[in-house]
Amino acid sequence: MSGLIQFALTQRLLVLILTLLLAGAGYVATVNIPIDAFPDVSPAQVKIIVKAPGMTPEEVETRITAPIELELLGIPKQTMLRSIAKYALTDITIDFEEGADIYWARQQIAERINAVWGVLPEGVEGGMAPMTTPLGEMFMFTVEGGDLTLMERRNLLDWVIRPALRTVPGVADVNTLGGLVRSYEVIPNNAALSSRGITTEALISALKSNNRNDGAGRLAEGEESLLVRAEGQIRDLDDVKAIVVANQNGVAITVGDVAEVRIGELTRYGAVSQNGEGEAVEGLVLGLRGSNARQVVVGVEKKLDEIQTALPEGVKLSVFYNRSELVNRAIHTVVRALVEAIVLVLILLVLFLGDLRAALTVAGILPLSALFTFLLMHQFGITANLMSLGGLAIAIGKLVDPAVVVVENITTHLADPKMQGKLPRLHLIYRAMREVTAPVVSGALIIGIVFVPLLSLEGLEGKLFRPVAFTNVFAMTGSLFMSMLVIPVIASWLMRNVKHEEPWLARKLHEIYKPALLWALAHTRQVIIVAALLLLATAVIYTRIGKTFMPTLDEGTVIIQVEKLPSINLEQSVRLDEQIQKALFRHVPAVARVVSRVGSDEIGLDPMGLNETDNFLVLKPEDQWGGKTKEQLLDEIRRVMESIPGIDFGFTQPIQMRVTEMLTGVRGDVAVKLYGPDLAVLNEEAEAIANAMRTVNGASDVFTIRNAGMQYLQVRIDRLAIGRMGLDGDALERTLRAQIEGLKLGIVQEDIKRTPLLLRASSDPEQLATLQISLPDGRRVPLSAVAHIERTEGVVAINRERGQRYAVVRSNVEGRDLVGFVEDARKAVAERVALPSGYYLTWGGQFENQQRAAKRLAIVIPISIGLIFMLLFTTFGSVRLAVLVLTNVPFSLVGGVTSLWLSGEYLSVSASVGFISLLGIAVLNGVVMVTYFNQLRAQGLAMDDVVMTGAMRRLRPVLMTASIAAFGLIPLLFASGPGSEIQRPLAIVGVGGLVTSTLLTLILLPILYRRFGEAKSA
């Protein structure tokens, strides 16, 4: 390092040019770095969505889900296989190990799907979902105005808006919800078919084989060639009606003779409504995995502006969720804290150094380190988000530490009257640099080592906090190199006339500190007793602090998840949603808009039932809430929801909902999974568990999905009867599907639009028994002649995890800590619920993440402290002094734990990061003090003089280090907006810990050094 410093001072212009080039590269990286609200916390995850129209959950599970799951077993690096089977749909999720290449994972899945697809039932469709993430829902809008019908709005979204948006870079797909999907419907006239002796099979065959254009080849005509094209494709309703089904005695029987042909709609599995004004049509833009959220949203907005002219007059796209708003607010929160921290640090530098030039020299480290950090973030693929920029905000106070030490020592040498005129300025600067190289480097290493635990975190907490560790390490690396190589060069130009005199603040601090230290040295026993009592009190307080995983981030948008009776139909479900919307508008003035989504979406990424609704609440600006807080507003909304009979509900937010769903397959702070083979037992025991959890203090929005009560019409085929009549089971089931669900026979190509062609009939349940079934000989018999029909109850959905069925009870936690709630809930469930043999529970959700993080930190933090001890031992060559410096660690916890308790915050992963960050500064201050004590002792001073003189001389650097670090965190204490909830516990711990750590370093460490600094001579 000495050689590099010498090179920098002899080649100052080159160093300056290289620094400017590095700053320029950092600026380019800053401008081009991807920006998002959060780090990408999703694992390498692949979803398979298979649609099977008309199939019940049990049929979907046995015929589709189970075969696919069996085929997927054994794929390398697989960590989780989860599925849900619902009416007409199965959604299978496969998670892979962290670091697995998503393209490789999708290739593995594709190969397995191809192998199993041939054994799946005829007519199923689907495959892998778009390559998005659970956090990929970036932009939501409704199509409004223009006096268009629901079908016309859906048509516009499907064939104009969606194709245009899919061309935007970074868009994986555009999900469409609500409205009516246009179709051509052929409705057989049973009487006409029977009178002409035509079977339904003949009608289906005619429709399938008369809907295609084809090329016949090429003919030569003189010198030209003619391409022959045969047109037999259906173009409109008249073409469908004109298709010949049979020829009887030279008379053509057409489709129009035996069936009604009309424009209809596909069977709906979901709907969208809003503001109590009726149904709507919604578009949902899904971002590609790894895309830049802000750029995607900007691209989408630009594309929507471009296609506005192509939309019918009066039609507008009304946006109700825009991820960039959250991104901008989150980034604004942390950038504002960064700027405020920099201003506070500059003020402190001027006050402590008493020299504007010296303060500016030190402050130069901040922009240079920040640009260096952004450059490395860009190279390592780390996005600028709440956590990575928060890491930089945490580091602001520590970045100046090396520069402070360097500039202070340069000032001392340049102002030394013994050296002035005897040695060149650059040589004095070089000598000053050589003296501080070892402590500065070891100090930077210590601060780097304390962040090793964060790099070892796994799962969600690892993805959230590793960017914090990386930006801290990057920033400290930049600060170290800039302090060693660039700051001396800047100092050689700026610090020309240096006067070595104590600034006003330093003099005042000395006046206060000296009598306090003298009293402490004279009353050693009392000071040690007080310190020990403080440690004991801290241990007691620690046991009273609740533990949780992460503070809840306020995203600004509220989602109310509603569950209704399982047997409810779509029309009634939409009507109930509209009732909820009107009630919210009537009683909660702060609600600006409500968009409700019931049932499944078009792609199938969110396979809800007809009894499940997500209500998106767009709130007015906070100044229009009538002075209410967010908690009071949610209580007001909760009272409205409780007044509506027949529903269960819970609160969440868009990203929060998807993250919890991604991790556990369900939504909620706590997810209790009950595994077992029998669905009826699972449903019964899950309800018992939910009732037990409702009695626990802090339980909020507890409910288990009602998985029984779905109404079935069971058609039991009489095998003897169909055998006598020449029928088979498959043909009868196909006829039933055609009559009720509708049988897809192909598509009608209308320019670029592809409109489904369906065969369907009346779906009145009262007429099902009299439904006419065609026999091979042309006769027709009622369904009751070949089957028994009975009404039964069945399940709504079947959840599976790693091949086992399970039921879920979910709960949010309010007003208390997560870990304490789970402990009480476990006791309540154990006392009230006795599980049958073969059934067992697991506790997951945010609680599972907290437990995993706590276990990992309990292992790696002691290892990190051990590494610091080794570094201290290497620095001092003494176990005694290394242990002495490490005594700062427990005393730094005193302030951190106490401030956490006083503020009412819980011990979360965020607060743990605050404690980890605190370790570095606490140890660093001890190193500064003990190093100087050793130097004075080596000069032959008596021990009492050593501790008194050393402590007085090191007062300023210790206070500078601690106060600058603390003041760098203060803006995070008072920040508001998205993300401040995560940063605040960290700042509370940091500021409180630095106060006690610094006080004890200045008072207790001199006492301990005097007593234990040297071995007693025999």
Side-chain angles (χ1 to χ4, degrees), residues 560-562 580 584 615 636-645 647-649 651:
I560 308 175
Q561 297 171 298
V562 173
I580 292 170
L584 288 171
N615 297 281
E636 192 176 355
I637 294 170
R638 184 177 280 108
R639 286 194 294 272
V640 173
M641 298 300 294
E642 287 171 348
S643 69
I644 299 171
I647 63 169
D648 285 329
F649 65 92
F651 290 96

XYZ file of all heavy atoms in Angstrom, residues 560-562 580 584 615 636-645 647-649 651:
170
model
N -58.613 -6.172 -0.169
C -59.462 -6.945 0.737
C -59.783 -8.260 0.038
O -60.396 -8.281 -1.028
C -60.776 -6.210 1.066
C -60.511 -4.785 1.543
C -61.559 -6.984 2.121
C -61.768 -3.972 1.767
N -59.351 -9.345 0.646
C -59.645 -10.671 0.095
C -60.925 -11.187 0.731
O -61.035 -11.248 1.950
C -58.489 -11.631 0.389
C -57.188 -11.207 -0.266
C -56.028 -12.042 0.230
O -55.699 -12.038 1.393
N -55.403 -12.771 -0.674
N -61.875 -11.529 -0.102
C -63.196 -11.935 0.379
C -63.484 -13.362 -0.052
O -63.203 -13.740 -1.200
C -64.289 -10.985 -0.159
C -65.675 -11.508 0.192
C -64.099 -9.584 0.400
N -70.520 -4.760 -1.698
C -69.358 -4.369 -0.886
C -68.813 -3.022 -1.357
O -68.492 -2.139 -0.547
C -68.271 -5.461 -0.959
C -68.740 -6.733 -0.243
C -66.964 -4.966 -0.347
C -67.841 -7.939 -0.467
N -68.529 0.437 0.868
C -67.263 1.120 1.123
C -67.337 2.585 0.717
O -66.868 3.472 1.444
C -66.132 0.410 0.361
C -65.701 -0.957 0.911
C -64.748 -1.654 -0.052
C -65.029 -0.810 2.270
N -60.426 -7.446 -3.788
C -60.916 -6.071 -3.965
C -59.741 -5.101 -3.859
O -59.159 -4.960 -2.780
C -61.954 -5.732 -2.895
C -63.190 -6.606 -2.972
O -64.056 -6.391 -3.800
N -63.260 -7.615 -2.110
N -61.838 1.241 10.115
C -63.108 1.729 9.562
C -63.601 0.807 8.442
O -64.780 0.448 8.380
C -62.906 3.155 9.036
C -64.186 3.884 8.710
C -63.945 5.331 8.291
O -62.774 5.784 8.347
O -64.911 5.996 7.892
N -62.674 0.399 7.573
C -63.029 -0.517 6.479
C -63.446 -1.868 7.057
O -64.408 -2.492 6.583
C -61.836 -0.680 5.511
C -61.536 0.647 4.801
C -62.115 -1.769 4.480
C -60.241 0.648 4.004
N -62.741 -2.313 8.107
C -63.066 -3.610 8.722
C -64.492 -3.603 9.276
O -65.230 -4.585 9.147
C -62.044 -3.923 9.812
C -62.241 -5.295 10.430
C -61.176 -5.635 11.462
N -59.944 -6.086 10.810
C -58.824 -5.383 10.752
N -58.763 -4.183 11.307
N -57.760 -5.859 10.149
N -64.886 -2.497 9.894
C -66.254 -2.415 10.443
C -67.297 -2.519 9.336
O -68.343 -3.147 9.515
C -66.423 -1.106 11.227
C -65.717 -1.114 12.577
C -66.176 0.043 13.448
N -65.776 1.338 12.896
C -64.616 1.934 13.157
N -63.731 1.334 13.950
N -64.339 3.112 12.629
N -67.006 -1.886 8.192
C -67.930 -1.968 7.049
C -68.042 -3.413 6.577
O -69.146 -3.928 6.328
C -67.455 -1.059 5.896
C -68.317 -1.276 4.655
C -67.484 0.399 6.310
N -66.891 -4.097 6.458
C -66.893 -5.471 5.970
C -67.609 -6.412 6.942
O -68.296 -7.351 6.524
C -65.458 -5.949 5.747
C -64.680 -5.155 4.700
S -65.435 -5.190 3.069
C -65.245 -6.913 2.649
N -67.458 -6.151 8.241
C -68.108 -7.005 9.234
C -69.622 -6.872 9.214
O -70.340 -7.767 9.672
C -67.572 -6.667 10.636
C -66.146 -7.162 10.866
C -65.543 -6.634 12.156
O -66.133 -5.699 12.755
O -64.463 -7.129 12.557
N -70.121 -5.765 8.676
C -71.568 -5.556 8.613
C -72.216 -6.300 7.445
O -73.437 -6.340 7.334
C -71.869 -4.050 8.487
O -71.457 -3.566 7.206
N -71.409 -6.878 6.561
C -71.943 -7.594 5.392
C -71.988 -9.082 5.705
O -70.948 -9.692 5.973
C -71.081 -7.315 4.145
C -71.096 -5.820 3.833
C -71.581 -8.120 2.939
C -70.124 -5.395 2.752
N -73.173 -9.691 5.698
C -73.282 -11.106 6.090
C -72.776 -12.049 5.002
O -72.740 -11.711 3.816
C -74.791 -11.283 6.296
C -75.416 -10.260 5.390
C -74.475 -9.093 5.356
N -69.766 -13.508 4.473
C -68.410 -13.439 3.901
C -67.363 -13.561 4.998
O -67.605 -13.221 6.159
C -68.174 -12.120 3.122
C -68.273 -10.894 4.052
C -69.124 -11.996 1.945
C -67.798 -9.601 3.422
N -66.188 -14.068 4.616
C -64.969 -13.956 5.412
C -64.032 -13.040 4.644
O -64.076 -12.992 3.405
C -64.306 -15.327 5.599
C -65.056 -16.178 6.604
O -65.646 -15.604 7.534
O -65.063 -17.416 6.447
N -63.173 -12.322 5.358
C -62.300 -11.383 4.643
C -60.977 -11.220 5.361
O -60.837 -11.553 6.547
C -62.975 -10.015 4.482
C -63.225 -9.301 5.782
C -62.283 -8.418 6.301
C -64.387 -9.527 6.507
C -62.502 -7.769 7.496
C -64.613 -8.888 7.718
C -63.668 -8.008 8.210
N -57.088 -8.582 5.027
C -56.428 -7.446 4.373
C -55.022 -7.834 3.932
O -54.314 -8.572 4.618
C -56.333 -6.259 5.336
C -57.655 -5.612 5.640
C -58.360 -5.955 6.778
C -58.195 -4.677 4.772
C -59.577 -5.375 7.064
C -59.411 -4.075 5.048
C -60.112 -4.430 6.201
